[in-house]
Amino acid sequence: PINYGAVGGYNNTDNPAIYIAVTSNDGMLRMIRNTTPAGAESGAEAWAFVPRAALPPQKILRANGTGVKHPYTIDGAPVAFIQDVNKDGSIIAGDGDRVFMYVGMRRGGKAYFAFDVTDPEDPDLMWTIEKSGDFSELGYTFSNPRVGLVSTASGPRPAIMFAGGYDLNKDTRGFVGTDDSEGNAIYVVDAETGQLIWKARGGSGSGGSDEFVHAGLVDSIPSTLAVADTNGDGFTDRMVVGDTGGNVWRADIHGSDTSNWKLTVLASDGRHSSGAAGVLTDRRFFHRPDIVPSKDSDGLFDSILIGSGDRADPLDMGGVASNFMYMIKDRRTASGSGADSDMEHGDFGDVSSNCLQSGACTIDLTNGWRLLMKEPGEKILATALTISGKVFFTSYLPRSGTGATACSPSEGAGRLYAVSLQKATAVINYYTSDDDPDNPEQPTSVADR
């Protein structure tokens, strides 16, 4: 949703001009009016955009043949850059206000599109990024762009940041994932022109002023990036993301000299980790991490909260992986201080038993913790949210819920977890059957998590 305020007969008091941008799997990005200027509910389409890559599937959709797989078209979530210069709550081009919108195709293709929607009724296609040239590493554009301001040699620049995307190589089931040929990159792009500002990629070579090469980046990155301004100067200076090989990466984009920007590995929790064996340990990351500034007795750290789960194989048709929620302590908190780390899955304290709740055990949490998803096939398919030291996250259970019938397959089930940031102990009394009579509100058990 984008709020344009008091424009075109709308008002800021009780009926602002709100438009909703959404992609649909018939191949269209649509802009929909929320209400009419008179205040009646609308839902009318103002305009729609069809990417060229979504045109061939139209014939398949029209024919609707029996046994034909539904084709993917454009599935990305639109993201807006909004600049209200005088902060009056209304988007007016004459005031210098601007609204840009960005969207990827997800499994429908390998492209991003940028629109000037300062006038929500009269859009302009600003630019298109496709798999070629500076973006030759681009895979299927799963990664929703993040919008921010970056410092460059030419001054502050509004930018969008996104990962390289998904390689269908990782759709292969029944085997441990192998290196990908696309999607193993991270991009920072000028939000207005689509020009590459900087990228990190896998492979070989020495890189350059706008390119950093890391030989260990061999897995595609479908995830949205977590971005942060770690020193409070208004510029995005750090990005964190996980890949489909179970690695967690940290990109430092601090300072105006892009030749000093770099990508470093923070942790290896999947197939690259020591002792990894088969599909069971082939953990993959598909969703944005959460970054939480924190501290413990050893000093400051950034908590990186990230959960594993193969979104491309939710029913585990290729075998069941052992999935975890991780809290990784990144102690290189200073802007630009990132360096490759040798932290692996086994270096994070195993808090799965919740013995820390009662004080019955001692666990080394120097590097962070890991929490096992215990149900068969349980996986994490969303971003965690941390509020006041409480971490909330959800999981998907493919083999729970009512059984399948010929016309109604089992949808599985889900769980909502709430654990402490520092120790992953229960913080809400979710399970009341084991309450302590003397202190019934106090969470005590694994089930309370």
Side-chain angles (χ1 to χ4, degrees):
I2 303 174
N3 188 346
Y4 288 85
V7 298
Y10 291 87
N11 67 79
N12 271 330
T13 306
D14 55 11
N15 187 38
I18 295 176
Y19 287 74
I20 299 153
V22 62
T23 59
S24 56
N25 207 224
D26 60 358
M28 298 185 189
L29 165 68
R30 305 178 188 276
M31 187 71 109
I32 298 170
R33 300 184 196 95
N34 182 46
T35 60
T36 68
E41 293 199 11
S42 174
E45 177 187 286
W47 53 267
F49 167 79
V50 184
R52 286 189 177 91
L55 289 174
Q58 298 303 314
K59 183 177 181 180
I60 302 172
L61 290 168
R62 178 183 170 90
N64 198 26
T66 302
V68 177
K69 285 187 176 182
H70 184 78
Y72 291 91
T73 53
I74 179 168
D75 291 342
V79 176
F81 167 79
I82 302 173
Q83 187 176 39
D84 181 3
V85 175
N86 60 9
K87 296 181 171 57
D88 64 351
S90 297
I91 302 300
I92 300 172
D95 292 343
D97 300 341
R98 301 183 297 175
V99 181
F100 300 149
M101 187 166 65
Y102 311 93
V103 67
M105 297 188 68
R106 237 182 149 266
R107 203 178 268 265
K110 304 173 185 180
Y112 285 101
F113 304 95
F115 304 85
D116 185 337
V117 289
T118 304
D119 181 347
E121 299 279 342
D122 186 18
D124 283 325
L125 179 62
M126 295 165 56
W127 49 257
T128 301
I129 287 176
E130 295 179 305
K131 183 181 174 65
S132 63
D134 288 335
F135 303 94
S136 59
E137 306 85 7
L138 199 64
Y140 286 85
T141 48
F142 276 43
S143 182
N144 287 338
R146 304 300 303 273
V147 178
L149 197 66
V150 297
S151 176
T152 69
S154 58
R157 294 171 76 178
I160 64 167
M161 294 149 276
F162 53 89
Y166 187 61
D167 188 334
L168 297 186
N169 171 55
K170 284 296 197 306
D171 278 353
T172 304
R173 294 174 174 173
F175 303 94
V176 175
T178 56
D179 293 356
D180 295 320
S181 60
E182 61 182 14
N184 52 332
I186 293 173
Y187 301 99
V188 180
V189 172
D190 187 290
E192 192 165 5
T193 67
Q195 177 187 0
L196 179 72
I197 297 174
W198 178 84
K199 72 177 177 181
R201 64 170 177 85
S204 59
S206 57
S209 62
D210 62 354
E211 179 180 86
F212 184 89
V213 180
H214 196 298
L217 185 56
V218 296
D219 297 281
S220 57
I221 310 177
S223 171
T224 298
L225 303 170
V227 301
D229 171 13
T230 62
N231 60 7
D233 65 356
F235 295 108
T236 298
D237 55 28
R238 178 159 285 185
M239 301 181 287
V240 180
V241 71
D243 67 24
T244 53
N247 290 322
V248 181
W249 296 91
R250 172 211 301 117
D252 281 305
I253 55 172
H254 171 68
S256 60
D257 186 353
T258 55
S259 64
N260 292 329
W261 294 7
K262 59 185 175 180
L263 180 72
T264 52
V265 62
L266 177 59
S268 296
D269 296 317
R271 69 185 183 98
H272 302 285
S273 184
S274 297
V279 174
L280 183 69
T281 53
D282 187 12
R283 287 176 279 269
R284 306 180 184 187
F285 297 120
F286 274 78
H287 293 273
R288 176 175 60 84
D290 193 21
I291 305 175
V292 185
S294 312
K295 66 178 180 179
D296 60 12
S297 58
D298 293 323
L300 299 175
F301 63 91
D302 288 330
S303 300
I304 308 301
L305 293 139
I306 187 168
S308 67
D310 189 353
R311 179 167 178 163
D313 188 14
L315 303 182
D316 302 309
M317 303 305 289
V320 180
S322 177
N323 289 304
F324 286 79
M325 170 58 76
Y326 296 91
M327 190 277 274
I328 301 168
K329 294 183 178 181
D330 183 3
R331 298 193 183 274
R332 292 184 174 270
T333 58
S335 302
S337 65
D340 283 336
S341 165
D342 59 1
M343 289 192 295
E344 297 183 338
H345 172 79
D347 294 319
F348 306 109
D350 188 350
V351 296
S352 305
S353 70
N354 201 35
C355 60
L356 291 175
Q357 190 95 43
S358 62
C361 66
T362 300
I363 298 175
D364 184 0
L365 301 178
T366 302
N367 297 319
W369 49 257
R370 68 184 195 270
L371 173 60
L372 174 66
M373 300 293 98
K374 293 188 174 182
E375 293 298 319
E378 187 175 5
K379 53 183 63 69
I380 298 169
L381 301 180
T383 297
L385 176 66
T386 306
I387 306 173
S388 300
K390 298 180 177 68
V391 180
F392 297 87
F393 65 93
T394 58
S395 70
Y396 173 64
L397 287 70
R399 281 175 286 281
S400 296
T402 57
T405 67
C407 298
S408 178
S410 171
E411 295 177 350
R415 283 178 170 171
L416 169 65
Y417 287 80
V419 303
S420 72
L421 175 65
Q422 294 284 355
K423 297 183 179 180
T425 51
V427 291
I428 296 176
N429 187 31
Y430 278 139
Y431 186 67
T432 58
S433 297
D434 63 353
D435 285 358
D436 180 352
D438 297 326
N439 196 359
E441 297 301 319
Q442 183 67 31
T444 59
S445 65
V446 170
D448 284 323
R449 293 197 292 205

